[in-house]
């Protein structure tokens, strides 16, 4: 029998050690995380500033000087006198009126035609994709190429398409000596406006077509079941839904058409009372060599464009908020 006094004592094992939780890496401060997110965008921001803002700052500085390139030694700081001269210049005031009339006419006609084409393209028919592509094509052309096409292929009194059609119609109905108008000389403003309408109508059509495809079809079907006609559906449902899109197309079209230079320069060379603001600035800068006065006029145009763009951005933001609330 084993003596309990002489028995080997039982060793007590130490308690198992619990592994310490891994240390978390210290979190980056909010400022560092924000800069890490923005860092990939810095090259694009620097490029944008170098391409857009630095030239504008240089233009702003030049506008404060009496600077004629033919007299470089007589350059002098004149403050805001160039802006006073630009505002009081009769040619500039006339170009402002021409710009307003040209922009308003082109935008209104383009929006109306774009709405009609959008309503047509919203219907299903065979070959709709091909027709859409053909309608969009004028907007994809280079503006100078579009103006040259209208000036030579359509307006030319000797071999242009318009006079050719008039001759063909005259021969068809037995009319001797059908009219062969000088389109650019007889109606210069119409010639410029028609080329711009042809180019900008597809842009309006795309915006309004996107709005048509986002309208609630349930309300339209319910209105048809209640006996509403197509005109009533368009007036009370479709048109109110397209209000934001109409405003967006009008504002964006105004921004771009105000700055249009190619059509006026190519078709009429600014003659026959068709010189708009960009062409007048071009004449002041390159022909009169008045760098300071041309820069002042350019700054005024930029300020006016920024005001219009502000309204456009508000319309776009309200449109996005409306779409987000519906989703």
């Amino acid at each position: 029998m084993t003596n309990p006094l002489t028995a080997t004592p039982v060793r007590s094992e130490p308690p198992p050690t619990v592994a310490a939780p891994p240390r978390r890496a210290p979190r980056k401060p909010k400022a560092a995380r924000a800069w890490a997110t923005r860092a990939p965008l810095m090259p694009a921001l620097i490029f944008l500033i170098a391409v857009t803002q630095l030239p504008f700052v240089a233009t702003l500085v030049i506008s404060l000087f009496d600077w004629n390139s033919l007299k470089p030694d007589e350059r002098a700081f004149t403050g805001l006198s160039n802006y006073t001269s630009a505002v009081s210049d009769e040619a500039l005031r006339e170009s402002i009126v021409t710009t307003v009339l040209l922009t308003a006419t082109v935008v209104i006609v383009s929006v109306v035609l774009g709405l009609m084409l959008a309503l047509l393209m919203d219907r299903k028919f065979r070959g709709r994709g091909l027709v859409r592509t053909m309608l969009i094509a004028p907007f994809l052309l280079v503006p100078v190429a579009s103006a040259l096409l209208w000036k030579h292929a359509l307006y030319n009194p000797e071999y242009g398409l318009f006079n050719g059609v008039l001759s063909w119609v005259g021969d068809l109905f037995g009319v001797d000596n059908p009219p062969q108008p000088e389109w650019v000389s007889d109606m210069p403003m119409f010639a410029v406006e028609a080329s711009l309408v042809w180019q900008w109508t597809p842009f309006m059509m795309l915006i309004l077509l996107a709005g048509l495809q986002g309208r609630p079809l349930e309300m339209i079907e319910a209105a048809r079941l209640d006996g509403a006609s197509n005109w009533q559906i368009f007036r009370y449902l479709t048109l109110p839904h397209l209000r934001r899109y109409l405003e967006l197309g009008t504002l964006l079209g105004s921004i771009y058409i105000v700055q249009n230079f190619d059509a006026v320069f190519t078709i009429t060379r600014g003659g026959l009372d068709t010189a708009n603001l960009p062409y007048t600035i071009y004449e002041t800068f390159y022909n009169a060599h008045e760098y300071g006065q041309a820069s002042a006029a350019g700054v005024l145009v930029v300020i006016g464009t920024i005001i219009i763009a502000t309204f456009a951005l508000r319309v776009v933001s309200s449109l996005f908020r409306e779409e987000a609330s519906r989703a």
Side-chain angles (χ1 to χ4, degrees):
M1 185 174 183
T2 305
N3 189 358
L5 297 176
T6 60
T8 304
V10 180
R11 296 180 179 179
S12 60
E13 297 182 357
T17 58
V18 180
R23 294 183 179 181
R24 294 182 179 179
R27 299 184 63 182
K28 295 181 180 180
K30 291 183 178 181
R33 284 188 282 114
W35 277 108
T37 305
R38 297 169 184 166
L41 301 177
M42 290 302 295
L45 180 61
I46 294 173
F47 177 79
L48 182 64
I49 292 174
V51 171
T52 60
Q53 303 307 313
L54 293 182
F56 179 72
V57 172
T59 304
L60 190 61
V61 172
I62 294 173
S63 68
L64 303 177
F65 286 83
D66 182 9
W67 190 338
N68 190 304
S69 62
L70 300 179
K71 304 174 183 178
D73 297 334
E74 300 179 5
R75 182 177 57 191
F77 179 80
T78 57
L80 300 177
S81 63
N82 285 325
Y83 292 92
T84 305
S85 301
V87 173
S88 60
D89 186 13
E90 183 179 356
L92 185 64
R93 291 201 300 268
E94 292 178 357
S95 67
I96 291 175
V97 175
T98 302
T99 303
V100 172
L101 292 176
L102 178 66
T103 303
T105 303
V106 172
V107 169
I108 292 174
V109 177
S110 298
V111 167
V112 173
L113 294 179
L115 178 59
M116 296 171 62
L117 292 176
L119 292 172
L120 179 63
M121 292 297 102
D122 191 50
R123 298 176 176 271
K124 293 182 179 180
F125 58 89
R126 182 176 299 177
R128 183 173 62 171
L130 178 61
V131 175
R132 283 183 180 179
T133 304
M134 295 175 64
L135 290 175
I136 296 171
F139 184 67
L140 303 179
L141 289 178
V142 179
V144 174
S146 174
L148 287 173
L149 174 67
W150 278 79
K151 181 178 182 180
H152 295 289
L154 301 178
Y155 290 146
N156 192 282
E158 296 181 0
Y159 55 82
L161 179 62
F162 289 162
N163 284 356
V165 171
L166 291 177
S167 298
W168 176 77
V169 172
D171 294 339
L172 185 64
F173 290 96
V175 178
D176 295 333
N177 299 322
Q180 298 288 290
E182 294 274 353
W183 296 93
V184 176
S185 301
D186 296 342
M187 48 192 80
M189 185 60 72
F190 172 80
V192 176
E193 291 169 350
S195 66
L196 290 175
V197 167
W198 179 76
Q199 187 176 12
W200 283 95
T201 296
F203 175 77
M204 304 299 180
M205 182 196 71
L206 289 176
I207 293 179
L208 297 176
L209 183 59
L212 286 174
Q213 293 180 347
R215 58 182 173 172
L217 298 179
E218 297 81 4
M219 296 179 60
I220 296 176
E221 293 298 330
R224 292 187 186 280
L225 291 176
D226 291 338
S229 62
N230 291 332
W231 169 249
Q232 291 174 332
I233 292 174
F234 172 77
R235 180 179 178 183
Y236 296 106
L237 294 178
T238 303
L239 203 56
H241 174 76
L242 292 178
R243 183 176 65 87
R244 294 292 185 185
Y245 298 91
L246 290 169
E247 293 176 356
L248 178 60
T250 301
L251 289 172
L252 292 179
S254 300
I255 290 174
Y256 285 104
I257 296 170
V258 162
Q259 305 175 33
N260 185 271
F261 171 80
D262 308 84
V264 175
F265 177 79
T266 305
I267 297 176
T268 63
R269 295 282 178 174
L272 303 173
D273 297 329
T274 59
N276 59 350
L277 272 172
Y279 189 85
T280 302
I281 295 172
Y282 162 80
E283 286 282 332
T284 306
F285 193 90
Y286 286 102
N287 292 343
H289 303 281
E290 291 289 347
Y291 289 0
Q293 190 172 353
S295 299
V299 171
L300 294 177
V301 173
V302 170
I303 292 174
T305 306
I306 289 175
I307 294 174
I308 300 176
T310 302
F311 287 102
L313 290 176
R314 288 184 179 180
V315 172
V316 172
S317 61
S318 63
L319 183 61
F320 285 157
R321 285 196 301 269
E322 183 179 346
E323 294 294 336
S325 63
R326 289 180 180 178

